[in-house]
Amino acid sequence: MAMNDSVNILNSAYLAVEYIDSFLPDNPLQQPFKNAWNYMLDNYTKFQIATWGSLIVHEVSYFLLCVPGFVFQFIPYMQKYKIQQDKPETWEKQWKCLKTLLFNHFFIQLPLICGTYYFTEYFNIPYEWEEMPRWYILVAQCFGCAVIEDAWHYFLHRLLHHKRIYKYIHKVHHEFVAPFGMQAEYAHPLETLILGTGFFIGIVVFCNHVILLWAWVICRLMETIDVHSGYDVPLNPLHLVPFYAGARFHDFHHMNFIGNYASTFTWWDRIFGTDSQFIAYKEKEKKQQLITKK
């Protein structure tokens, strides 16, 4: 009975969103995107699209999303939004980060990306425009992927902080006490494989078109670069996502090397009490602000 109720609720929600969508104006970018997508299908093989297309989407998205945080360090006005103001970025650290990042991208992640084509072939994942899911289905699928990845990340990330394991693997990621956007994927190769597995679980569960692979890559990079940015910028649209952790939440983890283990949401840390130090820190910060105002 409960399962039937859940299905009915989901079907009702789907019909409601579909009804609202029918009143929205046509997306002016849809036709150019359709033309570009069909051009890609006509001129490249599925292997090229799944492999090199996925690599291009990842690299372009990653470094474009890093640009705002990188530029902020040169804008005096933005320094008031920097969380750890006493620890500015340095060229030395950023160059070291970039070198490790490129190694991980091309020698760890690229071989994994090469398996994308075989994944889509084995599960008969379509590439055609006509079979591409509507935008609201894609948003729901990305949210589902985020929920799954967040759960995986919480428990495995917490395990990597175990005193018998930490110094061998996860310590690399914590070389930077004050994180910056580009450092999001700065990690030991084993960590890239261990925590990166959570990214693919959602794909296996939800993927019904190759576009989800790219949409989820962009969403995941947007989130992880934001929480590592080191800046708590107001009017951040990601803060509209329910239970979103954000930069201040994850920055506290880098400052203290403990607690706040989840990647995207706050509920696992709240359930297991691993955000208690962060909550106490926020309360103390509020009291100090009130004293300052008086």
Side-chain angles (χ1 to χ4, degrees):
M1 180 65 72
M3 180 64 73
N4 290 335
D5 289 343
S6 298
V7 171
N8 289 334
I9 291 170
L10 289 173
N11 286 336
S12 299
Y14 175 82
L15 291 172
V17 174
E18 197 171 46
Y19 179 74
I20 293 170
D21 183 59
S22 66
F23 289 97
L24 296 176
D26 292 335
N27 184 351
L29 299 177
Q30 182 172 327
Q31 191 59 44
F33 180 58
K34 179 180 179 181
N35 294 339
W37 189 270
N38 286 328
Y39 176 86
M40 178 183 71
L41 293 178
D42 292 339
N43 290 275
Y44 298 96
T45 65
K46 286 185 176 181
F47 178 81
Q48 290 171 325
I49 293 169
T51 305
W52 303 115
S54 297
L55 177 66
I56 290 169
V57 168
H58 180 273
E59 294 305 300
V60 171
S61 299
Y62 192 92
F63 289 105
L64 278 180
L65 289 167
C66 285
V67 168
F70 179 78
V71 172
F72 288 167
Q73 65 184 308
F74 304 111
I75 304 175
Y77 176 79
M78 296 304 297
Q79 295 314 300
K80 65 181 179 180
Y81 299 120
K82 184 168 173 58
I83 300 166
Q84 298 187 55
Q85 296 187 10
D86 59 330
K87 297 182 178 69
E89 297 90 345
T90 66
W91 287 109
E92 182 184 2
K93 289 181 179 178
Q94 290 175 97
W95 174 240
K96 181 182 180 182
C97 178
L98 179 62
K99 288 188 292 184
T100 301
L101 203 62
L102 292 175
F103 175 84
N104 283 349
H105 283 187
F106 290 96
F107 291 95
I108 306 299
Q109 294 183 18
L110 179 56
L112 296 175
I113 290 173
C114 288
T116 303
Y117 167 74
Y118 301 101
F119 166 78
T120 60
E121 286 295 293
Y122 183 81
F123 289 101
N124 295 316
I125 305 298
Y127 289 63
E128 291 72 24
W129 173 266
E130 291 73 21
E131 297 190 56
M132 190 180 294
R134 300 296 299 273
W135 66 269
Y136 45 86
I137 298 296
L138 208 54
V139 169
Q141 289 173 326
C142 285
F143 184 77
C145 287
V147 170
I148 291 171
E149 190 281 333
D150 185 69
W152 176 272
H153 190 101
Y154 175 84
F155 292 104
L156 272 295
H157 182 198
R158 189 172 177 181
L159 178 63
L160 289 176
H161 271 271
H162 190 281
K163 60 183 179 180
R164 293 185 179 179
I165 303 174
Y166 175 79
K167 64 181 180 180
Y168 300 109
I169 301 175
H170 193 52
K171 186 177 179 180
V172 174
H173 184 68
H174 277 281
E175 283 182 27
F176 304 105
V177 177
F180 48 91
M182 190 169 59
Q183 188 244 337
E185 290 187 344
Y186 179 89
H188 189 286
L190 273 177
E191 179 173 340
T192 300
L193 293 173
I194 293 168
L195 296 185
T197 300
F199 172 89
F200 294 102
I201 297 173
I203 292 296
V204 172
V205 173
F206 293 108
C207 195
N208 60 351
H209 194 280
V210 73
I211 192 67
L212 178 63
L213 287 163
W214 295 354
W216 173 221
V217 163
I218 294 169
C219 288
R220 177 69 180 114
L221 290 179
M222 191 182 303
E223 177 275 325
T224 192
I225 290 170
D226 176 60
V227 301
H228 284 91
S229 67
Y231 290 86
D232 188 17
V233 181
L235 303 179
N236 184 338
L238 288 175
H239 291 165
L240 297 174
V241 178
F243 303 101
Y244 181 67
R248 190 168 290 276
F249 185 87
H250 192 69
D251 208 280
F252 182 84
H253 174 78
H254 276 264
M255 278 193 286
N256 297 277
F257 304 97
I258 192 169
N260 294 11
Y261 297 110
S263 59
T264 307
F265 305 108
T266 57
W267 49 60
W268 287 114
D269 284 287
R270 182 60 56 87
I271 290 169
F272 290 99
T274 46
D275 64 345
S276 58
Q277 291 188 26
F278 177 64
I279 292 171
Y281 173 79
K282 285 200 302 181
E283 289 298 322
K284 184 179 178 181
E285 201 174 48
K286 284 180 182 178
K287 288 178 182 178
Q288 287 177 340
Q289 288 174 353
L290 289 172
I291 293 170
T292 304
K293 285 180 181 179
K294 290 178 180 178

